[in-house]
């Protein structure tokens, strides 16, 4: 009976780890600017069909492809909401820094310390 419980626990842990690591392409593609609908599925398919992909990445992308398709299907409302958003987070941060004059403030803050710094 104890061995059977260990098999169930081990099986549960393996299944949980597979599910938690699935849909990686979808999650990575949704963390940046909007790429349209089903971006994770397209990214996995591109890795599988790309001649320059390594022998390690192709099977991983093949395993990830159905999970990314499911995750992309669940994230369709987010894709619809972000359809007009073509900015990357990096570009939004850069514009915010320019608007708030962050470069000038940083220069004023660093200037007293730069005078006392030893020359390279």
């Amino acid at each position: 009976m104890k061995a059977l419980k260990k098999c169930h626990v081990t099986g549960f842990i393996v299944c949980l780890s597979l599910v938690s690591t699935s849909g990686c392409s979808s999650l990575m593609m949704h963390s940046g600017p909007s790429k349209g609908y089903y971006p994770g599925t397209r990214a996995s398919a591109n890795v599988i069909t790309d001649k320059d992909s390594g022998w390690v990445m192709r099977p991983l992308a093949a395993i990830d492809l159905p999970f990314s398709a499911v995750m992309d299907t669940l994230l369709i409302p987010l894709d619809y909401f972000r359809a007009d958003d073509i900015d990357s987070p990096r570009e939004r941060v850069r514009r915010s820094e320019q608007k708030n004059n962050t470069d000038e403030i940083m220069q004023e803050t660093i200037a007293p310390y730069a005078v006392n710094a030893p020359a390279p």
Side-chain angles (χ1 to χ4, degrees):
M1 188 68 175
K2 287 184 181 181
L4 187 60
K5 285 185 179 179
K6 282 186 180 181
C7 288
H8 284 304
V9 171
T10 305
F12 178 73
I13 290 173
V14 168
C15 289
L16 186 63
S17 65
L18 284 174
V19 169
S20 67
T21 59
S22 63
C24 293
S25 296
S26 178
L27 294 176
M28 287 189 308
M29 296 304 291
H30 280 90
S31 64
S34 178
K35 302 272 186 192
Y37 296 103
Y38 288 90
T41 306
R42 282 188 276 124
S44 291
N46 288 341
V47 169
I48 293 170
T49 58
D50 189 11
K51 293 179 181 177
D52 294 330
S53 294
W55 63 273
V56 174
M57 289 305 295
R58 284 185 183 169
L60 291 176
I63 292 169
D64 184 60
L65 183 66
F67 295 111
S68 289
V70 170
M71 185 65 74
D72 283 337
T73 302
L74 294 173
L75 293 174
I76 282 178
L78 177 66
D79 293 334
Y80 179 76
F81 177 73
R82 293 176 44 180
D84 296 333
D85 182 23
I86 56 173
D87 263 351
S88 68
R90 179 180 182 178
E91 187 62 29
R92 289 191 297 253
V93 168
R94 188 186 65 75
R95 278 198 315 267
S96 173
E97 287 178 348
Q98 285 179 346
K99 180 181 173 186
N100 296 323
N101 300 323
T102 306
D103 291 335
E104 295 169 10
I105 294 170
M106 288 301 292
Q107 290 300 326
E108 291 172 5
T109 305
I110 295 174
Y113 300 108
V115 172
N116 296 330

